[in-house]
Amino acid sequence: MSGKLTFTMIKPDAVANGNTGKIIDHIIGKGFKMVAMKYTRLSAEKAGEFYAVHRERPFFKDLVDFMISGPIVAAVLEKDNAVSDFRDVIGATDPSKAEAGTIRNLYAKSIDANAIHGSDSDENAAIEASFFFNAFERF
Ligand code: ATP
Ligand code: MG
């Protein structure tokens, strides 16, 4: 059965552009409850660890540089079928391919600066949440 929790980050572009409030409102409007939230900034080491799966990809350095370019908002979200439903809410990785009304369609400018992160599995949601919040070490 699918889990009830997922992890998100509002990325540096969206925070810098003043879209944090609108994005949080959008997420809540889609039926997610915010059960943890933190305004913070990633170190290069932490960003590299977060995206370790992409370490060998050509865009890895740009991805890490972008993720440390400014503050982010990390959050844990609760809803039935959270991971998959939240991926639908954020839209495709490349905003030019994101469906109308999705967060990336509304607030992202490019595949690099794409406004928001959403976990891609229950397992990764747990790993990512525990990265930022002690309370989620064993969810
Ligand atoms: P995220 O993990 O950030 O939620 P995602 O799951 O939609 O995004 P991933 O495949 O996990 O996409 O890629 C992680 C991030 O790496 C993307 O958000 C994007 O910024 C960057 N990225 C992915 N593919 C490319 C690419 N082909 N060119 C440039 N950047 C890319
Ligand atoms: Mg991903």
Side-chain angles (χ1 to χ4, degrees), residues 11 50-51 54 57 59 63 66 87 90-93 104 111-114 116-120:
K11 295 188 180 182
F50 189 87
Y51 281 116
H54 297 305
R57 309 283 288 275
F59 57 82
L63 175 60
F66 167 66
R87 295 291 297 198
I90 71 178
T93 308
R104 282 170 168 162
I111 193 167
D112 308 285
N114 61 3
I116 193 154
H117 162 77
S119 304
D120 59 12

Side-chain angles (χ1 to χ4, degrees), residues 51-112:
Y51 281 116
V53 56
H54 297 305
R55 200 156 263 159
E56 305 305 325
R57 309 283 288 275
F59 57 82
F60 179 71
K61 186 180 180 304
D62 288 344
L63 175 60
V64 169
D65 286 347
F66 167 66
M67 290 304 297
I68 66 172
S69 66
I72 58 103
V73 174
V76 178
L77 305 175
E78 184 180 322
K79 184 184 180 296
D80 285 345
N81 204 29
V83 166
S84 165
D85 283 5
F86 192 66
R87 295 291 297 198
D88 291 343
V89 167
I90 71 178
T93 308
D94 180 349
S96 70
K97 300 193 175 95
E99 206 174 312
T102 59
I103 292 174
R104 282 170 168 162
N105 167 256
L106 292 168
Y107 300 110
K109 295 279 182 285
S110 69
I111 193 167
D112 308 285

